[in-house]
PDB file of all heavy atoms in Angstrom:
ATOM      1  N   SER I 237      92.405  29.811 176.458  1.00  0.00           N
ATOM      2  CA  SER I 237      93.017  31.065 175.998  1.00  0.00           C
ATOM      3  C   SER I 237      93.961  30.841 174.826  1.00  0.00           C
ATOM      4  O   SER I 237      94.298  31.779 174.110  1.00  0.00           O
ATOM      5  CB  SER I 237      93.772  31.731 177.155  1.00  0.00           C
ATOM      6  OG  SER I 237      94.951  31.009 177.488  1.00  0.00           O
ATOM      7  N   LYS I 238      94.388  29.587 174.607  1.00  0.00           N
ATOM      8  CA  LYS I 238      95.295  29.276 173.497  1.00  0.00           C
ATOM      9  C   LYS I 238      94.551  28.854 172.237  1.00  0.00           C
ATOM     10  O   LYS I 238      95.169  28.672 171.188  1.00  0.00           O
ATOM     11  CB  LYS I 238      96.252  28.153 173.923  1.00  0.00           C
ATOM     12  CG  LYS I 238      97.172  28.523 175.077  1.00  0.00           C
ATOM     13  CD  LYS I 238      98.064  27.349 175.441  1.00  0.00           C
ATOM     14  CE  LYS I 238      98.998  27.662 176.593  1.00  0.00           C
ATOM     15  NZ  LYS I 238      99.836  26.494 176.978  1.00  0.00           N
ATOM     16  N   PHE I 239      93.219  28.652 172.325  1.00  0.00           N
ATOM     17  CA  PHE I 239      92.437  28.246 171.152  1.00  0.00           C
ATOM     18  C   PHE I 239      92.405  29.367 170.112  1.00  0.00           C
ATOM     19  O   PHE I 239      92.536  30.551 170.454  1.00  0.00           O
ATOM     20  CB  PHE I 239      90.999  27.909 171.554  1.00  0.00           C
ATOM     21  CG  PHE I 239      90.835  26.568 172.238  1.00  0.00           C
ATOM     22  CD1 PHE I 239      89.607  26.180 172.751  1.00  0.00           C
ATOM     23  CD2 PHE I 239      91.898  25.695 172.367  1.00  0.00           C
ATOM     24  CE1 PHE I 239      89.442  24.955 173.374  1.00  0.00           C
ATOM     25  CE2 PHE I 239      91.751  24.464 172.987  1.00  0.00           C
ATOM     26  CZ  PHE I 239      90.525  24.092 173.498  1.00  0.00           C
ATOM     27  N   LYS I 240      92.157  28.986 168.864  1.00  0.00           N
ATOM     28  CA  LYS I 240      92.034  30.002 167.804  1.00  0.00           C
ATOM     29  C   LYS I 240      90.820  30.885 168.046  1.00  0.00           C
ATOM     30  O   LYS I 240      90.851  32.092 167.800  1.00  0.00           O
ATOM     31  CB  LYS I 240      91.933  29.308 166.442  1.00  0.00           C
ATOM     32  CG  LYS I 240      93.222  28.629 166.010  1.00  0.00           C
ATOM     33  CD  LYS I 240      93.047  27.961 164.637  1.00  0.00           C
ATOM     34  CE  LYS I 240      94.345  27.258 164.219  1.00  0.00           C
ATOM     35  NZ  LYS I 240      94.179  26.536 162.929  1.00  0.00           N
ATOM     36  N   ASN I 241      89.734  30.279 168.541  1.00  0.00           N
ATOM     37  CA  ASN I 241      88.511  31.038 168.836  1.00  0.00           C
ATOM     38  C   ASN I 241      88.037  30.696 170.254  1.00  0.00           C
ATOM     39  O   ASN I 241      87.095  29.907 170.435  1.00  0.00           O
ATOM     40  CB  ASN I 241      87.415  30.697 167.819  1.00  0.00           C
ATOM     41  CG  ASN I 241      87.808  31.069 166.409  1.00  0.00           C
ATOM     42  OD1 ASN I 241      88.057  32.250 166.122  1.00  0.00           O
ATOM     43  ND2 ASN I 241      87.884  30.079 165.533  1.00  0.00           N
ATOM     44  N   PRO I 242      88.673  31.291 171.252  1.00  0.00           N
ATOM     45  CA  PRO I 242      88.340  30.948 172.647  1.00  0.00           C
ATOM     46  C   PRO I 242      86.866  31.154 172.983  1.00  0.00           C
ATOM     47  O   PRO I 242      86.291  30.393 173.769  1.00  0.00           O
ATOM     48  CB  PRO I 242      89.226  31.913 173.459  1.00  0.00           C
ATOM     49  CG  PRO I 242      90.324  32.299 172.540  1.00  0.00           C
ATOM     50  CD  PRO I 242      89.747  32.308 171.175  1.00  0.00           C
ATOM     51  N   ASP I 243      86.248  32.156 172.368  1.00  0.00           N
ATOM     52  CA  ASP I 243      84.849  32.453 172.693  1.00  0.00           C
ATOM     53  C   ASP I 243      83.887  31.382 172.189  1.00  0.00           C
ATOM     54  O   ASP I 243      82.692  31.417 172.502  1.00  0.00           O
ATOM     55  CB  ASP I 243      84.452  33.815 172.100  1.00  0.00           C
ATOM     56  CG  ASP I 243      85.182  34.958 172.776  1.00  0.00           C
ATOM     57  OD1 ASP I 243      85.663  34.749 173.915  1.00  0.00           O
ATOM     58  OD2 ASP I 243      85.280  36.040 172.174  1.00  0.00           O
ATOM     59  N   SER I 244      84.386  30.434 171.397  1.00  0.00           N
ATOM     60  CA  SER I 244      83.522  29.361 170.884  1.00  0.00           C
ATOM     61  C   SER I 244      83.413  28.207 171.873  1.00  0.00           C
ATOM     62  O   SER I 244      82.780  27.190 171.566  1.00  0.00           O
ATOM     63  CB  SER I 244      84.069  28.843 169.544  1.00  0.00           C
ATOM     64  OG  SER I 244      84.048  29.860 168.572  1.00  0.00           O
ATOM     65  N   PHE I 245      84.045  28.350 173.041  1.00  0.00           N
ATOM     66  CA  PHE I 245      84.031  27.271 174.030  1.00  0.00           C
ATOM     67  C   PHE I 245      83.667  27.836 175.402  1.00  0.00           C
ATOM     68  O   PHE I 245      83.913  29.007 175.695  1.00  0.00           O
ATOM     69  CB  PHE I 245      85.401  26.582 174.073  1.00  0.00           C
ATOM     70  CG  PHE I 245      85.767  25.940 172.768  1.00  0.00           C
ATOM     71  CD1 PHE I 245      86.437  26.669 171.783  1.00  0.00           C
ATOM     72  CD2 PHE I 245      85.418  24.634 172.496  1.00  0.00           C
ATOM     73  CE1 PHE I 245      86.749  26.100 170.564  1.00  0.00           C
ATOM     74  CE2 PHE I 245      85.726  24.043 171.278  1.00  0.00           C
ATOM     75  CZ  PHE I 245      86.388  24.782 170.307  1.00  0.00           C
ATOM     76  N   LYS I 246      83.083  26.989 176.243  1.00  0.00           N
ATOM     77  CA  LYS I 246      82.637  27.425 177.567  1.00  0.00           C
ATOM     78  C   LYS I 246      82.893  26.323 178.590  1.00  0.00           C
ATOM     79  O   LYS I 246      83.022  25.136 178.232  1.00  0.00           O
ATOM     80  CB  LYS I 246      81.144  27.744 177.548  1.00  0.00           C
ATOM     81  CG  LYS I 246      80.269  26.521 177.272  1.00  0.00           C
ATOM     82  CD  LYS I 246      78.796  26.854 177.250  1.00  0.00           C
ATOM     83  CE  LYS I 246      77.961  25.576 176.975  1.00  0.00           C
ATOM     84  NZ  LYS I 246      76.525  25.868 176.909  1.00  0.00           N
ATOM     85  N   LEU I 247      82.955  26.714 179.854  1.00  0.00           N
ATOM     86  CA  LEU I 247      83.066  25.743 180.941  1.00  0.00           C
ATOM     87  C   LEU I 247      81.688  25.512 181.539  1.00  0.00           C
ATOM     88  O   LEU I 247      80.912  26.473 181.743  1.00  0.00           O
ATOM     89  CB  LEU I 247      84.024  26.249 182.026  1.00  0.00           C
ATOM     90  CG  LEU I 247      85.497  25.862 181.833  1.00  0.00           C
ATOM     91  CD1 LEU I 247      86.117  26.622 180.662  1.00  0.00           C
ATOM     92  CD2 LEU I 247      86.285  26.128 183.108  1.00  0.00           C
ATOM     93  N   LEU I 248      81.359  24.249 181.811  1.00  0.00           N
ATOM     94  CA  LEU I 248      80.101  23.957 182.500  1.00  0.00           C
ATOM     95  C   LEU I 248      80.179  24.511 183.926  1.00  0.00           C
ATOM     96  O   LEU I 248      81.266  24.562 184.513  1.00  0.00           O
ATOM     97  CB  LEU I 248      79.846  22.442 182.516  1.00  0.00           C
ATOM     98  CG  LEU I 248      79.694  21.783 181.140  1.00  0.00           C
ATOM     99  CD1 LEU I 248      79.418  20.285 181.296  1.00  0.00           C
ATOM    100  CD2 LEU I 248      78.584  22.437 180.337  1.00  0.00           C
TER     101      LEU I 248
END
Side-chain angles (χ1 to χ4, degrees):
S237 71
K238 297 179 180 178
F239 284 175
K240 291 180 181 177
N241 298 299
D243 292 339
S244 297
F245 298 88
K246 65 180 180 182
L247 270 71
L248 298 181

